[in-house]
């Protein structure tokens, strides 16, 4: 008789292994070997940070070494970050200049300036390479500004002509009055014309009264300009009588002229205006003034002057 034996399977169920945290007296929940991984990361970070920084007054060269800063941030010393230190920059090619770049502090090169590159219309300008550029002169009635541009001369008397003068208003001899204007003479062909109404308010019966004295003065011109001044007076009524005072020319028809012959460049004319037969009690009239020059250095100079009309 045979026996059959059947084997059953033994199933063993494992429970959970609980590891307490350090606060509970256990070893924490970190997996074995974690501390070793973290330490390797820290080491790798140190390896990737590169070489230590250069010291004070040092810079790093292309080969990775540190070098002392050059003595001066100038091309003769190779600029501040020269390698090796104080090695002069290479000589620039013709038409070029060398300078120290303000960002890299290394040698840099650029073309010398020209009048066109500087947008200079006039004047003498440095090209940045030790040479001076002559960028020309301005046309008459223009002057060369500090930015080497041709700009109009400031002149309230322009345009003005004998038939259309710049009017200065009305002045009288009681009380004494003065008119001052500034204008320019561009060259020997430039003329400035003015007109001014003169009213006689000082009859002879008043102490100090009598015919008005009118002094017209041109002054404060730049050296090299010799001004000329012509003043003409016409009575509103009656016949004109006058003296030219300091004027060196009298045409006998109401015009006095003067030309500066001293270093002061000052000319003045006209005294004792009288419109007969009013006997000096009513010498009203219109005065024309022409300012020009007999000598002028050229169109590059505006030639600002002061015109002063004094009525007494």
């Amino acid at each position: 008789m045979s026996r059959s034996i059947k084997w059953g399977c033994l199933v063993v169920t494992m429970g959970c292994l609980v590891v307490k945290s350090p606060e509970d007296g256990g070893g924490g929940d970190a997996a074995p070997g974690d501390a070793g991984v973290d330490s390797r990361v820290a080491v790798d970070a140190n390896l990737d940070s590169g070489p230590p920084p250069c010291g004070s007054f040092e810079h790093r060269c292309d080969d990775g070494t540190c070098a002392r800063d050059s003595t001066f941030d100038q091309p003769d010393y190779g600029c501040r970050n020269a390698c090796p230190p104080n090695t002069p920059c290479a000589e620039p090619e013709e038409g070029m200049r060398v300078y120290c770049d303000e960002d890299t502090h290394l040698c840099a090169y650029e073309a010398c300036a020209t009048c066109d590159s500087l947008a200079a219309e006039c004047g003498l300008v440095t090209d940045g390479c030790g040479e001076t550029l002559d960028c020309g002169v301005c046309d008459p009635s223009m002057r060369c500004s500090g930015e080497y541009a041709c700009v109009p001369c400031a002149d309230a008397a322009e345009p003005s002509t004998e038939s259309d003068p710049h009017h200065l208003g009305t002045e009288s001899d009681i009380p004494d009055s003065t008119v001052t204007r500034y204008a320019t003479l561009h060259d020997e062909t430039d003329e400035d014309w003015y007109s001014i109404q003169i009213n006689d308010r000082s009859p002879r019966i008043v102490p100090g009264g009598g015919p008005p004295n009118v002094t017209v003065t041109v002054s404060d011109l730049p050296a090299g300009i010799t001004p000329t001044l012509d003043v003409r007076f016409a009575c509103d009524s009656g016949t004109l009588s006058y003296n030219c005072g300091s004027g060196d020319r009298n045409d006998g028809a109401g015009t006095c002229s003067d030309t500066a012959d001293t270093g002061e460049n000052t000319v003045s004319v006209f005294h004792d205006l009288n419109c007969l037969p009013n006997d000096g009690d009513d010498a009203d009239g219109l005065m024309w003034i022409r300012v020009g020059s007999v000598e002028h250095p050229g169109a590059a100079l505006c030639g600002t002057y002061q015109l002063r009309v004094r009525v007494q």
Side-chain angles (χ1 to χ4, degrees):
M1 181 166 103
S2 61
R3 304 173 85 178
S4 61
I5 301 175
K6 296 183 178 179
W7 296 90
C9 294
L10 178 63
V11 179
V12 179
T13 303
M14 300 296 291
C16 295
L17 178 61
V18 177
V19 180
K20 293 184 178 181
S21 66
E23 291 81 4
D24 296 329
D29 57 359
D34 282 351
V37 172
D38 292 343
S39 64
R40 286 196 302 274
V41 171
V43 171
D44 291 343
N46 288 332
L47 292 176
D48 293 341
S49 63
C54 296
S56 299
F57 305 107
E58 290 186 334
H59 58 275
R60 193 172 300 281
C61 295
D62 291 341
D63 61 3
T65 61
C66 292
R68 293 287 295 177
D69 293 345
S70 289
T71 306
F72 301 103
D73 197 20
Q74 298 174 2
D76 288 346
Y77 297 87
C79 303
R80 192 178 72 191
N81 289 341
C83 291
N86 299 321
T87 303
C89 298
E91 287 293 324
E93 297 178 2
E94 185 176 355
M96 302 287 290
R97 76 176 185 96
V98 60
Y99 65 99
C100 293
D101 186 274
E102 63 181 12
D103 295 322
T104 65
H105 301 286
L106 295 172
C107 303
Y109 298 83
E110 68 176 8
C112 300
T114 64
C115 293
D116 288 340
S117 66
L118 295 172
E121 300 176 327
C122 56
L124 301 177
V125 190
T126 178
D127 67 352
C129 298
E131 300 295 333
T132 299
L133 303 171
D134 185 350
C135 296
V137 297
C138 300
D139 293 334
S141 79
M142 306 285 280
R143 66 178 179 85
C144 193
S145 71
E147 290 75 34
Y148 307 104
C150 290
V151 297
C153 294
D155 194 344
E158 297 290 352
S160 60
T161 61
E162 182 176 8
S163 60
D164 186 19
H166 181 73
H167 192 56
L168 298 177
T170 300
E171 301 296 330
S172 63
D173 56 351
I174 294 185
D176 295 352
S177 57
T178 301
V179 177
T180 302
R181 293 289 186 273
Y182 291 89
T184 62
L185 293 174
H186 311 141
D187 55 27
E188 290 185 14
T189 67
D190 186 22
E191 295 182 348
D192 291 340
W193 284 86
Y194 304 87
S195 65
I196 182 171
Q197 178 69 33
I198 306 296
N199 287 342
D200 181 10
R201 295 291 180 264
S202 178
R204 289 185 183 275
I205 61 173
V206 176
N213 295 322
V214 181
T215 303
V216 182
T217 305
V218 176
S219 61
D220 300 339
L221 281 97
I225 298 180
T226 301
T228 182
L229 176 65
D230 299 299
V231 182
R232 183 174 79 249
F233 188 83
C235 294
D236 289 346
S237 63
T239 302
L240 174 65
S241 173
Y242 67 97
N243 292 311
C244 279
S246 66
D248 59 9
R249 294 184 304 279
N250 183 348
D251 71 352
T255 299
C256 296
S257 301
D258 202 358
T259 300
D261 53 6
T262 68
E264 296 179 354
N265 279 339
T266 299
V267 295
S268 58
V269 294
F270 251 116
H271 289 273
D272 299 326
L273 289 176
N274 200 350
C275 293
L276 303 175
N278 297 315
D279 198 23
D281 292 340
D282 189 17
D284 295 346
L286 186 64
M287 179 175 286
W288 289 266
I289 302 169
R290 185 192 75 88
V291 180
S293 63
V294 294
E295 292 183 8
H296 198 291
L301 181 64
C302 279
T304 301
Y305 65 87
Q306 181 192 83
L307 174 71
R308 185 171 181 266
V309 182
R310 176 79 167 160
V311 183
Q312 296 174 291

